[in-house]
Amino acid sequence: MSGPLSPNEPIATVKCVVWDLDNTLWKGTLLEGDDVAVDDQIHETIVGLDSRGILQAVASKNDHGPAWQRLEDLGIAEYFVLAKIGWGPKSSSVREIADELKFAHHTIAFVDDQPAERAEVAFHLPEVRCYPAESAPELLRLPEFTPATVTVDSRRRRQMYQANAQRQAEQESFDGPSEEFLRSLDLAMEIRRATADDLSRMEELTLRTSQMNATGVHYSDADLRALLDDARHEVLAVTMSDRFGSHGAVGVALVETGPAVWHLKLLATSCRVVSFGAGATVLNWLVSQAATAGSHLVADFRPTARNRVMEVAYRFAGFTDELCACLAELPPPDGGQTQRLHITPAPRPAPCTIRLTTVGLATT
């Protein structure tokens, strides 16, 4: 049973599998005293999903302490980024997992042996894709669990989310202004020209990122490779790290440069780094680079069901609907929904909470 995809959401790959425990993840019922165990096929599925960068969580009606302890005893607790174990409705648990991960419901899969539980989730969360327990060994063979690309960052996605949970826990206990907490993270960002080795992760970003994707357009590996070879285009890769470890590749920007106007065709940043001001940092740097070059900057924005926050970021950075003669330098936008946002750049100060390492795009 699968929920329909929104027409504005082209991403079909599952981002997170939510497992029931009793007679689903493991054989037997814990509270009935069964010596529950995970069979080899399920273990292979758990490890396989993890290696593809698909996160996993638990939604189970059980007592939390004994159930989590059993996951640890079985040596698989580390594979689950969230565990909602209690006695509330499964739909509430699945919704909380989606909210905490900031994932759209159609990117969530729910696996449970009980038809009534699957029906309850499907009723309240119709976009969540529901699967019976007997189909679990087959998940790795299904297309929705087979990402188009599996990158280095994909394979360590779970560890990055777990490190992020540590950051959030520390932030909640931090006694002081949020700016001081960000400084305490020792955040570092690098903006550099992409290489061929970066393309699979950058393609993945254009596929997976929906909230912080300015156009929702998917650029394939071939598309990006062609732009790398085009002297008019800058294909930029953005990476971040802090004292908890690497965030990996968190952004991609595609800029066509020209003497009068620079055209920002795509900006996409991972939702995981929104709270660190990553998108604003990239935008402010681009504005400064265009100012140094003496060029205007025009950004494409195409509204989708989920990227309103990106429009806010552009507006906050000073982009407007202002009509300017420089727009005549650009070809008409593809499709009627694409907006052209304009700014006459001026130099911006360096960020005060992020250590920035960049290339120089402006030629003087």
Side-chain angles (χ1 to χ4, degrees), residues 215-258:
T215 63
V217 174
H218 166 226
Y219 284 80
S220 69
D221 184 285
D223 294 332
L224 294 168
R225 197 171 300 276
L227 293 175
L228 279 184
D229 296 332
D230 184 342
R232 299 170 303 166
H233 284 85
E234 297 284 1
V235 184
L236 302 169
V238 183
T239 58
M240 284 188 74
S241 64
D242 62 23
R243 60 186 172 87
F244 287 95
S246 173
H247 295 271
V250 298
V252 54
L254 305 179
V255 186
E256 184 174 9
T257 59

Side-chain angles (χ1 to χ4, degrees), residues 73-282:
D73 293 343
L74 291 167
I76 57 174
E78 65 180 310
Y79 287 101
F80 303 100
V81 294
L82 291 169
K84 303 297 180 181
I85 304 174
W87 297 101
K90 294 281 183 73
S91 61
S92 297
S93 296
V94 175
R95 180 182 285 109
E96 289 172 12
I97 289 166
D99 289 348
E100 290 184 35
L101 294 176
K102 299 182 174 62
F103 286 176
H105 289 176
H106 79 262
T107 67
I108 305 292
F110 174 62
V111 186
D112 197 296
D113 66 303
Q114 294 293 326
E117 298 288 9
R118 299 195 302 272
E120 190 269 335
V121 169
F123 178 80
H124 292 285
L125 306 172
E127 290 189 327
V128 169
R129 290 177 260 189
C130 299
Y131 301 81
E134 58 267 25
S135 71
E138 306 300 320
L139 296 185
L140 295 175
R141 299 182 180 90
L142 300 178
E144 61 266 38
F145 299 91
T146 307
T149 58
V150 178
T151 65
V152 172
D153 282 356
S154 298
R155 288 189 285 270
R156 63 184 181 188
R157 182 167 288 122
R158 166 175 54 86
Q159 291 89 339
M160 290 193 288
Y161 272 85
Q162 289 168 332
N164 192 52
Q166 291 180 291
R167 290 183 196 97
Q168 291 178 343
E170 185 158 322
Q171 183 174 15
E172 290 171 3
S173 63
F174 187 85
D175 186 17
S178 58
E179 190 171 292
E180 286 185 17
F181 173 73
L182 291 177
R183 286 198 184 97
S184 78
L185 289 177
D186 193 23
L187 289 160
M189 174 185 285
E190 182 182 15
I191 305 174
R192 56 179 174 78
R193 289 184 174 91
T195 67
D197 292 339
D198 297 315
L199 297 188
S200 59
R201 172 55 179 149
M202 296 178 76
E203 179 186 6
E204 184 184 42
L205 273 170
T206 71
L207 276 168
R208 292 177 61 91
T209 303
S210 56
Q211 290 183 341
M212 294 298 289
N213 187 323
T215 63
V217 174
H218 166 226
Y219 284 80
S220 69
D221 184 285
D223 294 332
L224 294 168
R225 197 171 300 276
L227 293 175
L228 279 184
D229 296 332
D230 184 342
R232 299 170 303 166
H233 284 85
E234 297 284 1
V235 184
L236 302 169
V238 183
T239 58
M240 284 188 74
S241 64
D242 62 23
R243 60 186 172 87
F244 287 95
S246 173
H247 295 271
V250 298
V252 54
L254 305 179
V255 186
E256 184 174 9
T257 59
V261 59
W262 286 12
H263 183 194
L264 178 56
K265 295 182 174 180
L266 172 71
L267 176 62
T269 59
S270 170
C271 297
R272 292 182 288 106
V273 293
V274 169
S275 62
F276 303 146
T281 298
V282 176

